[in-house]
Amino acid sequence: MTVIERREVALVDLLDRLLAGGVVITGDITLRIADVDLVRIDLNALISSVNGQVPAPWGEST
């Protein structure tokens, strides 16, 4: 085993790396009975960290 194979990554470190670059989550769920679509849910989410260099989309409140 090499050093890289034995390296452990903590959950906090993994979340920090994911949020630094951003994560996109997409998915579709369809509830169907007898070939009739009853419920359809589409999920599109962007998760990322925010810092002072990124402007807020809703503007400044005074």
Side-chain angles (χ1 to χ4, degrees), residues 28-62:
D28 298 318
I29 298 173
T30 303
L31 177 60
R32 170 185 287 192
I33 296 177
D35 288 334
V36 176
D37 292 345
L38 298 176
V39 177
R40 181 173 179 184
I41 300 171
D42 294 330
L43 171 68
N44 296 311
L46 171 64
I47 302 171
S48 68
S49 61
V50 177
N51 60 28
Q53 297 175 348
V54 178
W58 49 81
E60 296 286 328
S61 62
T62 57

